[in-house]
Amino acid sequence: MSSTHDPLLFPAFQRFVEHTGLLANAKGILAARLPRILGQGQTRAEGLDMPPATIERQQELLALTLPEEALRDPAVQDEIAKAQRAVDEHKEQMRHPENRRRFAMQVLHRLEGVSTGNKDNQFFAGRLILVPDKSGLNWAWSMTPHYPVIAKIPADIEYVASAHTVSDRIVDKWTLPVDHFLDRLSLAWTMARHFGGSDNVLITDVARLFKIATQDERFWSSPSRRNFEDVPEAVFITNLINWRRHRDTTGSRENFELVPATLNQAHGPRSHPFFVPGNAEGTVVRPMIYIRRHSS
């Protein structure tokens, strides 16, 4: 599915909102949804500076609880009915694996200057993997299939293609020099070991605390939510990959070892594996469990 942004997607609904002053007096969830229905604000895909996609606006309209006056307006009701049909058709289309495959290939064909393809039943573009959710209604560009850079991208070819460029920039921004990464990794590992109380430090715990360890001086000089910069989930694996590629040339005395997960540690409701790429594209992964530190 592909669309162009139309600010007057719902002209009758917009007239109703303007006539009744609904937006000016809106509170709570209504205040959040109304602007998005009217094409204002941004898509739900965090990090993507684009207005809400057509399908997102249609979904928001259907989720809105409207006042009785709007329900008596035939033109508004007609727009709601059309939105319902469009959303139902979109869901039905994206439900089928073959349609999701065709959609992904159309996205890859839009991308220029990057190696793309399908390998190990995964779609890749450069270092990023294109991953749909089970419904096919939301997509993500991820480092390996597991760690999204930008998620909740609507199933709109223009939006998913644009998100690749942005995701690539995010990866570049957050890729640290190896020695800097090792400093932050050491801090995150130390915190994880302290809170875990064991020498068997889970990589998933280190990855979670790495978001704290990688904060800049502003946060450390005055720790507060205001000074905390949100870190994409993929930042840890991005830097882990970069370190593993360059670890023989770092000359650092600090050495970390990733311990492969056993079958029981990799599967099951209580398992906590961390997946590292097993090939250049990241379409194959290997489950790891612990990260050990020792001096060489």
Side-chain angles (χ1 to χ4, degrees):
M1 179 176 180
S2 184
S3 68
T4 55
H5 179 64
D6 179 8
L8 293 178
L9 180 64
F10 304 118
F13 180 75
Q14 182 163 338
R15 286 194 300 271
F16 172 80
V17 169
E18 292 171 350
H19 174 71
T20 59
L22 191 61
L23 182 58
N25 299 314
K27 298 179 180 179
I29 190 65
L30 185 63
R33 279 185 169 152
L34 275 179
R36 291 169 54 77
I37 294 170
L38 300 176
Q40 302 165 13
Q42 293 186 325
T43 173
R44 285 194 299 267
E46 293 185 10
L48 188 59
D49 187 16
M50 296 179 71
T54 295
I55 187 63
E56 291 179 301
R57 296 172 64 187
Q58 292 165 335
Q59 291 166 338
E60 292 280 17
L61 178 62
L62 297 178
L64 191 67
T65 301
L66 291 170
E68 285 294 326
E69 187 179 349
L71 299 178
R72 293 193 297 268
D73 188 320
V76 171
Q77 285 304 296
D78 182 59
E79 289 178 350
I80 292 173
K82 288 179 179 177
Q84 185 70 69
R85 288 194 296 271
V87 168
D88 289 344
E89 290 171 3
H90 183 64
K91 285 182 179 178
E92 176 62 22
Q93 180 184 12
M94 301 309 296
R95 183 174 68 85
H96 299 284
E98 179 57 27
N99 289 338
R100 294 198 293 270
R101 186 198 69 80
R102 189 178 298 114
F103 176 87
M105 292 304 298
Q106 288 177 310
V107 170
L108 297 188
H109 289 156
R110 286 281 192 97
L111 305 179
E112 298 180 354
V114 61
S115 175
T116 63
N118 184 306
K119 190 174 183 180
D120 306 304
N121 292 321
Q122 302 285 348
F123 297 96
F124 69 89
R127 54 192 167 180
L128 297 168
I129 308 296
L130 180 58
V131 184
D133 65 6
K134 292 181 179 179
S135 69
L137 298 177
N138 297 283
W139 294 68
W141 285 109
S142 297
M143 295 293 291
T144 79
H146 298 276
Y147 307 108
V149 181
I150 294 182
K152 298 181 182 178
I153 311 168
D156 182 299
I157 292 172
E158 177 187 354
Y159 278 66
V160 180
S162 297
H164 178 271
T165 302
V166 178
S167 297
D168 223 27
R169 288 201 297 263
I170 291 173
V171 171
D172 284 340
K173 171 190 173 183
W174 284 100
T175 301
L176 307 174
V178 172
D179 57 346
H180 189 182
F181 168 66
L182 287 174
D183 288 341
R184 297 295 185 258
L185 176 61
S186 179
L187 176 58
W189 186 92
T190 301
M191 289 191 291
R193 184 179 182 277
H194 171 76
F195 292 122
S198 170
D199 287 334
N200 287 327
V201 178
L202 289 168
I203 306 175
T204 52
D205 287 343
V206 175
R208 177 171 49 84
L209 291 168
F210 187 78
K211 294 183 178 183
I212 299 174
T214 198
Q215 294 299 310
D216 60 21
E217 291 301 322
R218 191 164 50 98
F219 173 81
W220 291 110
S221 62
S222 179
S224 66
R225 184 67 185 90
R226 183 182 69 254
N227 292 331
F228 187 89
E229 183 174 7
D230 289 331
V231 179
E233 187 176 355
V235 166
F236 182 72
I237 185 63
T238 295
N239 284 281
L240 197 68
I241 292 169
N242 187 57
W243 163 62
R244 283 162 64 86
R245 285 175 180 168
H246 298 91
R247 58 186 168 182
D248 293 336
T249 63
T250 62
S252 173
R253 294 180 58 192
E254 198 73 66
N255 195 18
F256 291 89
E257 174 192 5
L258 304 184
V259 180
T262 65
L263 190 61
N264 287 337
Q265 290 170 334
H267 301 281
R270 295 187 178 182
S271 61
H272 299 281
F274 188 87
F275 298 96
V276 300
N279 61 359
E281 296 83 7
T283 56
V284 172
V285 295
R286 292 181 294 159
M288 299 290 179
I289 187 70
Y290 301 122
I291 180 168
R292 293 175 179 156
R293 182 173 70 177
H294 56 84
S295 297
S296 56

